[in-house]
Amino acid sequence: TALAPPVTTRKEPTTSPPPWLRWLGWFWLTGAAFVAAWRALGLCGSAWLIRKAGCASEGFTQQVTVMAQRCGLRQAPLVKITNRLMSPAVAGILRPVLLFPAAALAGLSPRELDFILAHEFAHIRRHDFLLGLLRAAVETLFFFHPAVWWINRRIRLEREAACDDAAVAATGDKIAYARALSSL
């Protein structure tokens, strides 16, 4: 019997991606890493503020509990007082923490504090901390696109306007609410 000639398969030469595409990948990876590191530092800073902040007084805690019920929260958030902030902030998803500036306690009346608390509780009801984390993830992945930054800025402005509307609905006085914000 005659031997059949061996069958050889031709391999097509593998081509590497063009150099500009590799540089573009490294640019994206470096940029996303820097933005992610910046966000991680912000989250660590928030956790540090929460750890270092002091507990609120019993009277203010009761005021917070009453206002939380008026705003429709099932449970009042943990309240921490700090000298390191100029305005109140809410952090946390499952058990939110309200960081309140000590100067605001001394400079605002109880009625003005109710307005400020109503605004912060609107952030909690809307789950803005979780939405902020999702927004930050999109900004990290698409840091190179100006439209992402513009849209996220618009989202932040609209979020604040929605919280203002919810606070006015809970407190009932638009003019006094605006004065409390300007006093803060």
Short mmCIF file of all heavy atoms in Angstrom, two decimals, residues 83-154:
data_model
loop_
_atom_site.label_atom_id
_atom_site.label_comp_id
_atom_site.label_asym_id
_atom_site.label_seq_id
_atom_site.Cartn_x
_atom_site.Cartn_y
_atom_site.Cartn_z
N ASN A 83 -16.66 68.34 64.35
CA ASN A 83 -16.20 69.70 64.05
C ASN A 83 -15.55 69.77 62.68
O ASN A 83 -15.12 70.84 62.27
CB ASN A 83 -15.19 70.16 65.12
CG ASN A 83 -15.86 70.42 66.43
OD1 ASN A 83 -16.99 70.89 66.49
ND2 ASN A 83 -15.15 70.13 67.51
N ARG A 84 -15.42 68.67 62.01
CA ARG A 84 -14.67 68.61 60.76
C ARG A 84 -15.53 68.85 59.51
O ARG A 84 -15.01 68.81 58.41
CB ARG A 84 -13.97 67.26 60.65
CG ARG A 84 -12.90 67.10 61.69
CD ARG A 84 -12.26 65.73 61.60
NE ARG A 84 -11.10 65.63 62.45
CZ ARG A 84 -11.13 65.21 63.70
NH1 ARG A 84 -12.29 64.89 64.26
NH2 ARG A 84 -10.03 65.15 64.41
N LEU A 85 -16.82 69.05 59.66
CA LEU A 85 -17.70 69.29 58.53
C LEU A 85 -18.33 70.68 58.64
O LEU A 85 -18.55 71.19 59.73
CB LEU A 85 -18.82 68.26 58.48
CG LEU A 85 -18.46 66.84 58.09
CD1 LEU A 85 -19.70 65.96 58.14
CD2 LEU A 85 -17.85 66.79 56.72
N MET A 86 -18.64 71.25 57.49
CA MET A 86 -19.33 72.53 57.45
C MET A 86 -20.84 72.36 57.24
O MET A 86 -21.61 73.26 57.56
CB MET A 86 -18.77 73.40 56.32
CG MET A 86 -17.30 73.74 56.50
SD MET A 86 -16.98 74.70 57.98
CE MET A 86 -17.76 76.23 57.57
N SER A 87 -21.24 71.23 56.67
CA SER A 87 -22.66 70.97 56.46
C SER A 87 -22.95 69.51 56.77
O SER A 87 -22.04 68.68 56.73
CB SER A 87 -23.05 71.30 55.01
OG SER A 87 -22.38 70.46 54.13
N PRO A 88 -24.19 69.17 57.05
CA PRO A 88 -24.53 67.79 57.38
C PRO A 88 -24.31 66.86 56.20
O PRO A 88 -24.36 67.27 55.04
CB PRO A 88 -26.01 67.85 57.75
CG PRO A 88 -26.32 69.26 57.95
CD PRO A 88 -25.34 70.06 57.18
N ALA A 89 -24.08 65.59 56.52
CA ALA A 89 -23.89 64.58 55.48
C ALA A 89 -24.44 63.26 55.98
O ALA A 89 -24.45 62.99 57.19
CB ALA A 89 -22.40 64.43 55.15
N VAL A 90 -24.90 62.44 55.05
CA VAL A 90 -25.41 61.11 55.37
C VAL A 90 -24.51 60.10 54.69
O VAL A 90 -24.16 60.24 53.52
CB VAL A 90 -26.86 60.94 54.89
CG1 VAL A 90 -27.34 59.52 55.12
CG2 VAL A 90 -27.78 61.92 55.60
N ALA A 91 -24.12 59.06 55.43
CA ALA A 91 -23.29 57.99 54.87
C ALA A 91 -23.88 56.66 55.30
O ALA A 91 -24.42 56.53 56.40
CB ALA A 91 -21.85 58.12 55.36
N GLY A 92 -23.78 55.68 54.44
CA GLY A 92 -24.23 54.34 54.78
C GLY A 92 -25.50 53.95 54.05
O GLY A 92 -26.30 54.79 53.68
N ILE A 93 -25.64 52.64 53.85
CA ILE A 93 -26.79 52.12 53.11
C ILE A 93 -27.75 51.40 54.05
O ILE A 93 -28.91 51.77 54.18
CB ILE A 93 -26.32 51.16 52.01
CG1 ILE A 93 -25.43 51.91 51.01
CG2 ILE A 93 -27.50 50.55 51.27
CD1 ILE A 93 -24.71 51.03 50.04
N LEU A 94 -27.28 50.37 54.72
CA LEU A 94 -28.16 49.57 55.58
C LEU A 94 -28.47 50.28 56.89
O LEU A 94 -29.60 50.27 57.37
CB LEU A 94 -27.53 48.21 55.84
CG LEU A 94 -27.33 47.34 54.60
CD1 LEU A 94 -26.61 46.06 54.97
CD2 LEU A 94 -28.65 47.06 53.93
N ARG A 95 -27.47 50.87 57.50
CA ARG A 95 -27.65 51.62 58.74
C ARG A 95 -27.03 52.99 58.55
O ARG A 95 -25.86 53.22 58.83
CB ARG A 95 -26.97 50.88 59.91
CG ARG A 95 -27.10 51.58 61.24
CD ARG A 95 -28.52 51.49 61.77
NE ARG A 95 -28.57 51.99 63.13
CZ ARG A 95 -29.36 52.99 63.50
NH1 ARG A 95 -30.15 53.57 62.65
NH2 ARG A 95 -29.37 53.39 64.75
N PRO A 96 -27.81 53.94 57.99
CA PRO A 96 -27.24 55.26 57.68
C PRO A 96 -26.80 56.01 58.94
O PRO A 96 -27.37 55.84 60.02
CB PRO A 96 -28.36 55.99 56.97
CG PRO A 96 -29.56 55.17 57.11
CD PRO A 96 -29.20 53.84 57.62
N VAL A 97 -25.78 56.81 58.76
CA VAL A 97 -25.23 57.65 59.83
C VAL A 97 -25.35 59.09 59.37
O VAL A 97 -24.95 59.44 58.26
CB VAL A 97 -23.77 57.29 60.12
CG1 VAL A 97 -23.18 58.23 61.16
CG2 VAL A 97 -23.64 55.85 60.56
N LEU A 98 -25.90 59.93 60.22
CA LEU A 98 -26.01 61.35 59.95
C LEU A 98 -24.86 62.06 60.65
O LEU A 98 -24.77 62.03 61.88
CB LEU A 98 -27.35 61.89 60.44
CG LEU A 98 -27.56 63.40 60.37
CD1 LEU A 98 -27.51 63.88 58.93
CD2 LEU A 98 -28.88 63.77 61.01
N LEU A 99 -23.95 62.63 59.88
CA LEU A 99 -22.85 63.42 60.44
C LEU A 99 -23.30 64.87 60.47
O LEU A 99 -23.63 65.45 59.43
CB LEU A 99 -21.59 63.28 59.57
CG LEU A 99 -20.90 61.94 59.65
CD1 LEU A 99 -19.88 61.81 58.54
CD2 LEU A 99 -20.23 61.79 60.99
N PHE A 100 -23.32 65.42 61.66
CA PHE A 100 -23.85 66.77 61.83
C PHE A 100 -22.75 67.68 62.36
O PHE A 100 -22.05 67.32 63.31
CB PHE A 100 -25.03 66.74 62.81
CG PHE A 100 -26.08 67.75 62.51
CD1 PHE A 100 -27.04 67.48 61.54
CD2 PHE A 100 -26.11 68.96 63.16
CE1 PHE A 100 -28.01 68.41 61.26
CE2 PHE A 100 -27.08 69.89 62.88
CZ PHE A 100 -28.04 69.62 61.92
N PRO A 101 -22.58 68.87 61.78
CA PRO A 101 -21.54 69.78 62.28
C PRO A 101 -21.92 70.37 63.62
O PRO A 101 -23.07 70.76 63.85
CB PRO A 101 -21.45 70.84 61.19
CG PRO A 101 -22.71 70.75 60.44
CD PRO A 101 -23.24 69.36 60.60
N ALA A 102 -20.95 70.44 64.51
CA ALA A 102 -21.21 70.98 65.85
C ALA A 102 -21.59 72.45 65.79
O ALA A 102 -22.41 72.91 66.58
CB ALA A 102 -19.97 70.78 66.73
N ALA A 103 -21.03 73.19 64.84
CA ALA A 103 -21.35 74.62 64.72
C ALA A 103 -22.81 74.84 64.37
O ALA A 103 -23.41 75.83 64.79
CB ALA A 103 -20.45 75.26 63.67
N ALA A 104 -23.41 73.92 63.64
CA ALA A 104 -24.82 74.06 63.27
C ALA A 104 -25.72 73.90 64.49
O ALA A 104 -26.76 74.55 64.57
CB ALA A 104 -25.19 73.04 62.21
N LEU A 105 -25.32 73.06 65.43
CA LEU A 105 -26.13 72.90 66.64
C LEU A 105 -26.15 74.17 67.46
O LEU A 105 -27.15 74.50 68.10
CB LEU A 105 -25.59 71.74 67.48
CG LEU A 105 -25.85 70.35 66.92
CD1 LEU A 105 -25.17 69.30 67.79
CD2 LEU A 105 -27.33 70.08 66.83
N ALA A 106 -25.04 74.88 67.47
CA ALA A 106 -24.96 76.10 68.27
C ALA A 106 -25.61 77.28 67.57
O ALA A 106 -26.14 78.17 68.22
CB ALA A 106 -23.50 76.42 68.58
N GLY A 107 -25.59 77.29 66.22
CA GLY A 107 -26.04 78.46 65.50
C GLY A 107 -27.46 78.42 64.97
O GLY A 107 -27.95 79.42 64.49
N LEU A 108 -28.13 77.29 65.04
CA LEU A 108 -29.47 77.17 64.48
C LEU A 108 -30.51 76.92 65.57
O LEU A 108 -30.23 76.26 66.57
CB LEU A 108 -29.52 76.02 63.46
CG LEU A 108 -28.64 76.16 62.23
CD1 LEU A 108 -28.70 74.89 61.40
CD2 LEU A 108 -29.05 77.36 61.41
N SER A 109 -31.71 77.42 65.34
CA SER A 109 -32.81 77.18 66.27
C SER A 109 -33.33 75.77 66.07
O SER A 109 -33.07 75.14 65.04
CB SER A 109 -33.93 78.20 66.01
OG SER A 109 -34.56 77.92 64.78
N PRO A 110 -34.10 75.24 67.03
CA PRO A 110 -34.67 73.90 66.85
C PRO A 110 -35.53 73.78 65.58
O PRO A 110 -35.52 72.75 64.92
CB PRO A 110 -35.50 73.68 68.11
CG PRO A 110 -34.85 74.55 69.13
CD PRO A 110 -34.34 75.74 68.38
N ARG A 111 -36.27 74.81 65.26
CA ARG A 111 -37.09 74.77 64.03
C ARG A 111 -36.21 74.70 62.78
O ARG A 111 -36.50 73.95 61.86
CB ARG A 111 -37.98 76.02 63.97
CG ARG A 111 -38.81 76.12 62.72
CD ARG A 111 -40.26 76.02 63.01
NE ARG A 111 -41.06 76.40 61.85
CZ ARG A 111 -41.64 75.52 61.06
NH1 ARG A 111 -41.54 74.24 61.32
NH2 ARG A 111 -42.36 75.91 60.03
N GLU A 112 -35.12 75.47 62.76
CA GLU A 112 -34.20 75.42 61.63
C GLU A 112 -33.52 74.05 61.54
O GLU A 112 -33.29 73.53 60.45
CB GLU A 112 -33.16 76.52 61.74
CG GLU A 112 -33.73 77.92 61.51
CD GLU A 112 -32.72 79.01 61.80
OE1 GLU A 112 -31.88 78.85 62.70
OE2 GLU A 112 -32.79 80.05 61.11
N LEU A 113 -33.21 73.47 62.69
CA LEU A 113 -32.63 72.12 62.69
C LEU A 113 -33.60 71.11 62.09
O LEU A 113 -33.18 70.18 61.39
CB LEU A 113 -32.25 71.71 64.11
CG LEU A 113 -31.01 72.37 64.70
CD1 LEU A 113 -30.83 71.97 66.16
CD2 LEU A 113 -29.78 72.03 63.90
N ASP A 114 -34.90 71.28 62.36
CA ASP A 114 -35.89 70.39 61.77
C ASP A 114 -35.86 70.45 60.24
O ASP A 114 -35.98 69.42 59.57
CB ASP A 114 -37.30 70.73 62.27
CG ASP A 114 -37.57 70.22 63.67
OD1 ASP A 114 -36.81 69.34 64.13
OD2 ASP A 114 -38.55 70.69 64.28
N PHE A 115 -35.70 71.65 59.70
CA PHE A 115 -35.63 71.80 58.24
C PHE A 115 -34.41 71.07 57.68
O PHE A 115 -34.49 70.37 56.67
CB PHE A 115 -35.59 73.27 57.83
CG PHE A 115 -36.86 74.00 58.09
CD1 PHE A 115 -36.87 75.15 58.86
CD2 PHE A 115 -38.07 73.56 57.57
CE1 PHE A 115 -38.04 75.85 59.10
CE2 PHE A 115 -39.24 74.24 57.81
CZ PHE A 115 -39.23 75.39 58.57
N ILE A 116 -33.28 71.25 58.33
CA ILE A 116 -32.04 70.61 57.87
C ILE A 116 -32.16 69.08 57.98
O ILE A 116 -31.77 68.34 57.07
CB ILE A 116 -30.84 71.13 58.67
CG1 ILE A 116 -30.72 72.65 58.57
CG2 ILE A 116 -29.55 70.45 58.23
CD1 ILE A 116 -30.59 73.20 57.18
N LEU A 117 -32.73 68.62 59.09
CA LEU A 117 -32.91 67.18 59.27
C LEU A 117 -33.85 66.61 58.21
O LEU A 117 -33.62 65.51 57.69
CB LEU A 117 -33.45 66.89 60.67
CG LEU A 117 -32.49 67.10 61.83
CD1 LEU A 117 -33.22 66.95 63.16
CD2 LEU A 117 -31.32 66.15 61.74
N ALA A 118 -34.92 67.34 57.88
CA ALA A 118 -35.86 66.87 56.86
C ALA A 118 -35.15 66.70 55.52
O ALA A 118 -35.41 65.73 54.79
CB ALA A 118 -37.03 67.84 56.73
N HIS A 119 -34.25 67.61 55.20
CA HIS A 119 -33.50 67.49 53.95
C HIS A 119 -32.60 66.25 53.96
O HIS A 119 -32.57 65.49 52.99
CB HIS A 119 -32.64 68.75 53.74
CG HIS A 119 -31.81 68.69 52.50
ND1 HIS A 119 -32.29 69.10 51.27
CD2 HIS A 119 -30.55 68.25 52.30
CE1 HIS A 119 -31.34 68.92 50.38
NE2 HIS A 119 -30.27 68.41 50.97
N GLU A 120 -31.90 66.03 55.05
CA GLU A 120 -31.01 64.87 55.14
C GLU A 120 -31.80 63.56 55.15
O GLU A 120 -31.37 62.57 54.57
CB GLU A 120 -30.12 64.97 56.38
CG GLU A 120 -29.18 66.15 56.35
CD GLU A 120 -28.29 66.20 55.13
OE1 GLU A 120 -27.80 65.14 54.71
OE2 GLU A 120 -28.10 67.30 54.58
N PHE A 121 -32.96 63.56 55.79
CA PHE A 121 -33.78 62.36 55.80
C PHE A 121 -34.36 62.05 54.42
O PHE A 121 -34.62 60.90 54.08
CB PHE A 121 -34.89 62.47 56.83
CG PHE A 121 -34.40 62.52 58.24
CD1 PHE A 121 -35.16 63.08 59.25
CD2 PHE A 121 -33.15 62.00 58.58
CE1 PHE A 121 -34.71 63.12 60.55
CE2 PHE A 121 -32.69 62.04 59.88
CZ PHE A 121 -33.47 62.60 60.87
N ALA A 122 -34.56 63.09 53.61
CA ALA A 122 -34.99 62.86 52.23
C ALA A 122 -33.90 62.11 51.46
O ALA A 122 -34.21 61.23 50.64
CB ALA A 122 -35.30 64.19 51.55
N HIS A 123 -32.63 62.41 51.74
CA HIS A 123 -31.54 61.65 51.12
C HIS A 123 -31.59 60.19 51.53
O HIS A 123 -31.36 59.29 50.72
CB HIS A 123 -30.17 62.24 51.52
CG HIS A 123 -29.82 63.49 50.79
ND1 HIS A 123 -29.57 63.53 49.45
CD2 HIS A 123 -29.66 64.76 51.24
CE1 HIS A 123 -29.27 64.76 49.08
NE2 HIS A 123 -29.32 65.53 50.15
N ILE A 124 -31.90 59.94 52.80
CA ILE A 124 -31.97 58.55 53.28
C ILE A 124 -33.15 57.82 52.63
O ILE A 124 -33.00 56.68 52.17
CB ILE A 124 -32.08 58.52 54.81
CG1 ILE A 124 -30.79 59.06 55.44
CG2 ILE A 124 -32.37 57.11 55.31
CD1 ILE A 124 -30.87 59.26 56.94
N ARG A 125 -34.29 58.47 52.56
CA ARG A 125 -35.47 57.83 51.95
C ARG A 125 -35.25 57.50 50.48
O ARG A 125 -35.78 56.53 49.97
CB ARG A 125 -36.69 58.72 52.09
CG ARG A 125 -37.22 58.68 53.50
CD ARG A 125 -38.61 59.02 53.57
NE ARG A 125 -39.37 58.23 52.60
CZ ARG A 125 -40.66 58.10 52.63
NH1 ARG A 125 -41.33 58.66 53.56
NH2 ARG A 125 -41.30 57.40 51.73
N ARG A 126 -34.49 58.34 49.80
CA ARG A 126 -34.25 58.14 48.37
C ARG A 126 -33.08 57.19 48.10
O ARG A 126 -32.78 56.91 46.96
CB ARG A 126 -33.95 59.48 47.70
CG ARG A 126 -35.12 60.43 47.65
CD ARG A 126 -34.70 61.81 47.17
NE ARG A 126 -33.65 61.82 46.17
CZ ARG A 126 -33.86 61.74 44.86
NH1 ARG A 126 -35.09 61.68 44.40
NH2 ARG A 126 -32.85 61.75 44.01
N HIS A 127 -32.40 56.72 49.16
CA HIS A 127 -31.24 55.84 49.03
C HIS A 127 -30.14 56.49 48.18
O HIS A 127 -29.54 55.86 47.32
CB HIS A 127 -31.63 54.48 48.44
CG HIS A 127 -32.70 53.79 49.20
ND1 HIS A 127 -32.48 53.22 50.43
CD2 HIS A 127 -34.01 53.60 48.92
CE1 HIS A 127 -33.60 52.70 50.87
NE2 HIS A 127 -34.55 52.91 49.99
N ASP A 128 -29.89 57.76 48.46
CA ASP A 128 -28.91 58.50 47.67
C ASP A 128 -27.48 58.01 47.87
O ASP A 128 -26.66 58.17 46.97
CB ASP A 128 -29.00 60.00 47.99
CG ASP A 128 -30.16 60.65 47.28
OD1 ASP A 128 -30.69 60.05 46.33
OD2 ASP A 128 -30.54 61.77 47.67
N PHE A 129 -27.17 57.43 49.01
CA PHE A 129 -25.81 56.93 49.21
C PHE A 129 -25.53 55.78 48.25
O PHE A 129 -24.47 55.72 47.62
CB PHE A 129 -25.59 56.51 50.66
CG PHE A 129 -24.15 56.22 50.99
CD1 PHE A 129 -23.25 57.25 51.16
CD2 PHE A 129 -23.70 54.92 51.11
CE1 PHE A 129 -21.93 57.00 51.45
CE2 PHE A 129 -22.38 54.65 51.41
CZ PHE A 129 -21.49 55.70 51.58
N LEU A 130 -26.47 54.87 48.11
CA LEU A 130 -26.31 53.76 47.17
C LEU A 130 -26.24 54.27 45.73
O LEU A 130 -25.38 53.84 44.95
CB LEU A 130 -27.47 52.77 47.31
CG LEU A 130 -27.49 51.61 46.33
CD1 LEU A 130 -26.25 50.75 46.49
CD2 LEU A 130 -28.75 50.79 46.52
N LEU A 131 -27.11 55.21 45.39
CA LEU A 131 -27.07 55.77 44.05
C LEU A 131 -25.76 56.52 43.80
O LEU A 131 -25.24 56.51 42.69
CB LEU A 131 -28.27 56.70 43.83
CG LEU A 131 -29.63 56.00 43.84
CD1 LEU A 131 -30.75 57.03 43.73
CD2 LEU A 131 -29.71 54.99 42.73
N GLY A 132 -25.22 57.14 44.84
CA GLY A 132 -23.93 57.81 44.71
C GLY A 132 -22.81 56.83 44.45
O GLY A 132 -21.89 57.11 43.67
N LEU A 133 -22.88 55.66 45.09
CA LEU A 133 -21.87 54.63 44.82
C LEU A 133 -21.96 54.13 43.39
O LEU A 133 -20.94 53.91 42.72
CB LEU A 133 -22.03 53.47 45.80
CG LEU A 133 -21.63 53.75 47.25
CD1 LEU A 133 -21.93 52.53 48.12
CD2 LEU A 133 -20.16 54.11 47.35
N LEU A 134 -23.18 53.93 42.90
CA LEU A 134 -23.36 53.50 41.51
C LEU A 134 -22.87 54.58 40.54
O LEU A 134 -22.22 54.29 39.54
CB LEU A 134 -24.82 53.17 41.24
CG LEU A 134 -25.37 51.95 41.98
CD1 LEU A 134 -26.86 51.81 41.76
CD2 LEU A 134 -24.64 50.69 41.56
N ARG A 135 -23.17 55.83 40.86
CA ARG A 135 -22.71 56.95 40.03
C ARG A 135 -21.19 57.01 40.01
O ARG A 135 -20.57 57.22 38.97
CB ARG A 135 -23.30 58.25 40.57
CG ARG A 135 -22.94 59.47 39.77
CD ARG A 135 -23.45 60.73 40.45
NE ARG A 135 -23.06 60.82 41.83
CZ ARG A 135 -21.85 61.19 42.27
NH1 ARG A 135 -20.90 61.45 41.42
NH2 ARG A 135 -21.60 61.27 43.55
N ALA A 136 -20.57 56.79 41.17
CA ALA A 136 -19.11 56.81 41.24
C ALA A 136 -18.50 55.66 40.44
O ALA A 136 -17.44 55.82 39.81
CB ALA A 136 -18.66 56.73 42.70
N ALA A 137 -19.15 54.51 40.42
CA ALA A 137 -18.65 53.39 39.63
C ALA A 137 -18.68 53.72 38.13
O ALA A 137 -17.73 53.43 37.40
CB ALA A 137 -19.46 52.13 39.91
N VAL A 138 -19.75 54.36 37.69
CA VAL A 138 -19.84 54.75 36.28
C VAL A 138 -18.78 55.79 35.95
O VAL A 138 -18.12 55.73 34.91
CB VAL A 138 -21.26 55.26 35.95
CG1 VAL A 138 -21.31 55.90 34.58
CG2 VAL A 138 -22.26 54.12 36.04
N GLU A 139 -18.59 56.77 36.85
CA GLU A 139 -17.55 57.78 36.62
C GLU A 139 -16.17 57.14 36.58
O GLU A 139 -15.29 57.60 35.85
CB GLU A 139 -17.58 58.84 37.72
CG GLU A 139 -18.66 59.86 37.54
CD GLU A 139 -18.66 60.89 38.66
OE1 GLU A 139 -17.90 60.74 39.63
OE2 GLU A 139 -19.43 61.86 38.55
N THR A 140 -15.95 56.12 37.38
CA THR A 140 -14.65 55.45 37.39
C THR A 140 -14.40 54.71 36.08
O THR A 140 -13.31 54.79 35.52
CB THR A 140 -14.57 54.48 38.58
OG1 THR A 140 -14.76 55.21 39.79
CG2 THR A 140 -13.22 53.79 38.63
N LEU A 141 -15.39 54.00 35.60
CA LEU A 141 -15.21 53.22 34.37
C LEU A 141 -15.15 54.10 33.12
O LEU A 141 -14.41 53.82 32.19
CB LEU A 141 -16.34 52.20 34.23
CG LEU A 141 -16.35 51.09 35.27
CD1 LEU A 141 -17.59 50.22 35.09
CD2 LEU A 141 -15.09 50.26 35.19
N PHE A 142 -15.93 55.16 33.11
CA PHE A 142 -16.00 56.03 31.93
C PHE A 142 -15.45 57.42 32.25
O PHE A 142 -16.01 58.42 31.82
CB PHE A 142 -17.44 56.12 31.43
CG PHE A 142 -18.00 54.79 31.01
CD1 PHE A 142 -18.89 54.12 31.83
CD2 PHE A 142 -17.61 54.21 29.82
CE1 PHE A 142 -19.40 52.89 31.46
CE2 PHE A 142 -18.11 52.97 29.44
CZ PHE A 142 -19.00 52.32 30.26
N PHE A 143 -14.35 57.47 32.97
CA PHE A 143 -13.76 58.74 33.42
C PHE A 143 -13.35 59.62 32.24
O PHE A 143 -13.27 60.83 32.37
CB PHE A 143 -12.53 58.48 34.30
CG PHE A 143 -11.36 57.92 33.53
CD1 PHE A 143 -10.41 58.76 33.00
CD2 PHE A 143 -11.25 56.56 33.32
CE1 PHE A 143 -9.35 58.25 32.27
CE2 PHE A 143 -10.19 56.05 32.61
CZ PHE A 143 -9.24 56.89 32.07
N PHE A 144 -13.10 59.05 31.11
CA PHE A 144 -12.56 59.76 29.96
C PHE A 144 -13.62 60.52 29.17
O PHE A 144 -13.31 61.33 28.32
CB PHE A 144 -11.86 58.78 29.02
CG PHE A 144 -12.73 57.64 28.60
CD1 PHE A 144 -13.55 57.75 27.50
CD2 PHE A 144 -12.76 56.46 29.33
CE1 PHE A 144 -14.38 56.71 27.11
CE2 PHE A 144 -13.57 55.41 28.95
CZ PHE A 144 -14.39 55.53 27.84
N HIS A 145 -14.89 60.25 29.46
CA HIS A 145 -15.96 60.83 28.66
C HIS A 145 -16.57 62.05 29.37
O HIS A 145 -17.12 61.91 30.45
CB HIS A 145 -17.04 59.79 28.39
CG HIS A 145 -17.83 60.08 27.16
ND1 HIS A 145 -18.62 61.18 27.03
CD2 HIS A 145 -17.93 59.41 25.99
CE1 HIS A 145 -19.20 61.19 25.87
NE2 HIS A 145 -18.79 60.11 25.20
N PRO A 146 -16.48 63.23 28.78
CA PRO A 146 -17.02 64.42 29.44
C PRO A 146 -18.52 64.36 29.69
O PRO A 146 -19.01 64.95 30.65
CB PRO A 146 -16.68 65.56 28.47
CG PRO A 146 -15.85 64.99 27.40
CD PRO A 146 -15.85 63.52 27.51
N ALA A 147 -19.26 63.64 28.84
CA ALA A 147 -20.71 63.56 29.03
C ALA A 147 -21.07 62.87 30.34
O ALA A 147 -22.06 63.22 30.99
CB ALA A 147 -21.36 62.84 27.85
N VAL A 148 -20.26 61.90 30.75
CA VAL A 148 -20.52 61.20 32.01
C VAL A 148 -20.43 62.17 33.18
O VAL A 148 -21.27 62.19 34.07
CB VAL A 148 -19.55 60.02 32.18
CG1 VAL A 148 -19.62 59.43 33.57
CG2 VAL A 148 -19.83 58.96 31.15
N TRP A 149 -19.41 63.01 33.17
CA TRP A 149 -19.23 63.98 34.25
C TRP A 149 -20.33 65.03 34.23
O TRP A 149 -20.84 65.44 35.28
CB TRP A 149 -17.85 64.63 34.16
CG TRP A 149 -16.77 63.64 34.38
CD1 TRP A 149 -16.13 62.90 33.43
CD2 TRP A 149 -16.24 63.22 35.64
NE1 TRP A 149 -15.22 62.06 34.02
CE2 TRP A 149 -15.26 62.24 35.37
CE3 TRP A 149 -16.47 63.58 36.96
CZ2 TRP A 149 -14.53 61.62 36.37
CZ3 TRP A 149 -15.74 62.97 37.95
CH2 TRP A 149 -14.80 62.00 37.65
N TRP A 150 -20.74 65.47 33.05
CA TRP A 150 -21.79 66.46 32.94
C TRP A 150 -23.13 65.89 33.41
O TRP A 150 -23.85 66.53 34.17
CB TRP A 150 -21.91 66.94 31.49
CG TRP A 150 -22.94 68.00 31.32
CD1 TRP A 150 -22.81 69.33 31.58
CD2 TRP A 150 -24.28 67.82 30.86
NE1 TRP A 150 -23.98 69.98 31.32
CE2 TRP A 150 -24.91 69.08 30.87
CE3 TRP A 150 -25.01 66.71 30.45
CZ2 TRP A 150 -26.22 69.26 30.48
CZ3 TRP A 150 -26.32 66.89 30.05
CH2 TRP A 150 -26.92 68.15 30.07
N ILE A 151 -23.43 64.67 32.98
CA ILE A 151 -24.69 64.03 33.39
C ILE A 151 -24.71 63.80 34.90
O ILE A 151 -25.72 64.04 35.56
CB ILE A 151 -24.90 62.71 32.62
CG1 ILE A 151 -25.24 63.01 31.17
CG2 ILE A 151 -25.99 61.86 33.25
CD1 ILE A 151 -25.22 61.80 30.26
N ASN A 152 -23.60 63.35 35.46
CA ASN A 152 -23.56 63.12 36.91
C ASN A 152 -23.69 64.41 37.69
O ASN A 152 -24.29 64.43 38.77
CB ASN A 152 -22.29 62.37 37.28
CG ASN A 152 -22.42 60.90 36.98
OD1 ASN A 152 -23.50 60.34 36.95
ND2 ASN A 152 -21.30 60.26 36.72
N ARG A 153 -23.16 65.50 37.17
CA ARG A 153 -23.35 66.80 37.83
C ARG A 153 -24.82 67.19 37.81
O ARG A 153 -25.36 67.67 38.80
CB ARG A 153 -22.50 67.86 37.15
CG ARG A 153 -22.66 69.24 37.74
CD ARG A 153 -21.62 70.19 37.24
NE ARG A 153 -21.84 71.60 37.36
CZ ARG A 153 -22.37 72.26 38.35
NH1 ARG A 153 -22.78 71.63 39.41
NH2 ARG A 153 -22.50 73.56 38.34
N ARG A 154 -25.48 66.98 36.69
CA ARG A 154 -26.92 67.26 36.59
C ARG A 154 -27.72 66.38 37.54
O ARG A 154 -28.68 66.83 38.15
CB ARG A 154 -27.41 67.06 35.14
CG ARG A 154 -26.82 68.00 34.13
CD ARG A 154 -27.17 69.43 34.34
NE ARG A 154 -28.60 69.59 34.47
CZ ARG A 154 -29.19 70.67 34.97
NH1 ARG A 154 -28.48 71.67 35.39
NH2 ARG A 154 -30.49 70.74 35.07
#
